[in-house]
Amino acid sequence: MIFWTTLLLAALAAGTLTWGLVAAFAEGAAATAGTYEREMTQSLEAMFLFVPAKRLVDLGWMAAAFVFLLVMLPFCRLEPVWVVPAGLCVAGALASGAFFLPRLVVRHLRARRLERFNLQLLEALPTMANALRAGFSINQAFDAVAQGTSGPIQQEFSLMLHQMQVGVSFSDALAELDRRVGSEDLTLVCTAIDIARRSGGNLTEIFETIAQTIRARLRIAQHVKSLTAQGRLQGLIIGAMPFLLAGGLAIFKPKLMLPFICSLPGALTLLAVCALVALGGWMIRKIVTIDV
């Protein structure tokens, strides 16, 4: 009787602990997903992509579930007892990274859009300078660029003009444009326009000077990018090599690879490899990322 009572109490304690851990994990996952969805919504709206952010969050959960199940397959064994916990640790770590893959894709798309905007801004500044030289106002110069171009700069300038049409002041609309785009080149343009409107100045010459400055910065940035291309490629190859090698051995030599993965040293090695690859990728990115 005492044995069964003790067993029942132990099972009740284990169940309560498990329920508490599951509830805490579910609450944390819901909070993380909510923050993730809000960040994705802001990023998508900034790119004028009206895609429900919840769909991207669902894609993240699907990618995490797929990676988790795929990694857990070699660890689905009852003996030895530590195999399943080790598999949960490895699969959980990799699934957490897979969950944020959609955000990485959105960040990449936003960076490409910002790069295209900067190139279009370089072409738009002479157009605005010529419009001011012809007697147009600064609002008409922005409208001329919006009417004569396409892509990111047309979307951003059209939104700014629409805001002014509904009653927003030029200074507020210009500040909102600068905040929304997040371009250092556009910040330079907006600051010059604001100073010229407050204290006076020849915006035509200012735009031409800023265009020359941006052109020089882009030239230096392209030169730096070409010089660091080898380092970035080496980082990608070195980071992918352990996983490609492990996958190849698991496919072509399963009797050699699977027992190693299902062993305690193998599981610890996988965790160490993931951590070291992530650390190495971060260090290489810091080295090859040079602000111009």
Side-chain angles (χ1 to χ4, degrees):
M1 184 66 180
I2 297 177
F3 172 77
W4 291 109
T5 303
T6 304
L7 183 62
L8 179 62
L9 292 176
L12 182 61
T16 303
L17 179 61
T18 303
W19 179 83
L21 291 176
V22 171
F25 175 79
E27 184 178 355
T32 302
T35 304
Y36 188 17
E37 184 176 351
R38 288 191 295 270
E39 292 178 356
M40 295 287 284
T41 300
Q42 295 175 357
S43 299
L44 292 173
E45 289 179 352
M47 293 188 296
F48 291 83
L49 295 177
F50 302 102
V51 179
K54 185 173 177 55
R55 298 293 178 267
L56 297 180
V57 176
D58 294 339
L59 287 177
W61 284 117
M62 293 173 61
F66 175 77
V67 171
F68 183 84
L69 294 176
L70 182 64
V71 175
M72 275 298 297
L73 287 178
F75 297 94
C76 294
R77 298 168 55 188
L78 297 178
E79 294 182 357
V81 69
W82 50 264
V83 170
V84 174
L88 290 175
C89 293
V90 176
L94 296 178
S96 299
F99 175 70
F100 294 100
L101 284 178
R103 185 167 68 177
L104 296 179
V105 174
V106 171
R107 284 184 177 179
H108 176 69
L109 294 177
R110 189 169 185 179
R112 290 185 57 183
R113 184 178 186 274
L114 181 60
E115 183 178 355
R116 185 182 177 189
F117 178 89
N118 290 333
L119 292 175
Q120 288 185 317
L121 181 63
L122 179 60
E123 299 175 357
L125 287 175
T127 302
M128 297 176 66
N130 293 333
L132 293 175
R133 192 178 289 111
F136 288 11
S137 65
I138 185 63
N139 294 4
Q140 292 173 330
F142 275 101
D143 185 63
V145 173
Q147 295 296 330
T149 58
S150 60
I153 197 169
Q154 188 269 337
Q155 295 172 337
E156 299 293 349
F157 282 11
S158 296
L159 180 58
M160 173 187 170
L161 294 171
H162 178 72
Q163 289 176 341
M164 289 190 293
Q165 290 175 358
V166 297
V168 179
S169 64
F170 178 82
S171 299
D172 294 339
L174 190 66
E176 177 63 20
L177 172 68
D178 184 20
R179 184 201 63 79
R180 185 172 60 249
V181 176
S183 169
E184 295 181 358
D185 297 335
L186 182 61
T187 300
L188 184 62
V189 174
C190 294
T191 302
I193 293 175
D194 187 61
I195 294 175
R197 283 173 55 88
R198 294 177 183 273
S199 58
N202 191 343
L203 277 178
T204 302
E205 296 180 358
I206 292 175
F207 283 163
E208 292 176 350
T209 303
I210 292 177
Q212 295 176 0
T213 303
I214 296 176
R215 191 175 292 109
R217 288 182 58 184
L218 288 176
R219 189 183 304 113
I220 296 174
Q222 292 296 328
H223 184 62
V224 171
K225 187 176 181 179
S226 63
L227 292 177
T228 58
Q230 182 178 357
R232 288 184 280 109
L233 181 60
Q234 288 177 347
L236 290 175
I237 294 175
I238 294 174
M241 187 178 299
F243 302 103
L244 294 178
L245 183 60
L249 288 175
I251 293 174
F252 297 105
K253 295 290 185 179
K255 294 182 179 180
L256 176 66
M257 194 64 184
L258 293 182
F260 172 73
I261 295 177
C262 296
S263 64
L264 181 59
L268 295 177
T269 301
L270 287 178
L271 290 176
V273 166
C274 294
L276 292 176
V277 167
L279 179 61
W282 178 79
M283 293 179 64
I284 292 175
R285 182 178 180 184
K286 288 295 183 181
I287 293 173
V288 301
T289 302
I290 301 174
D291 293 332
V292 179

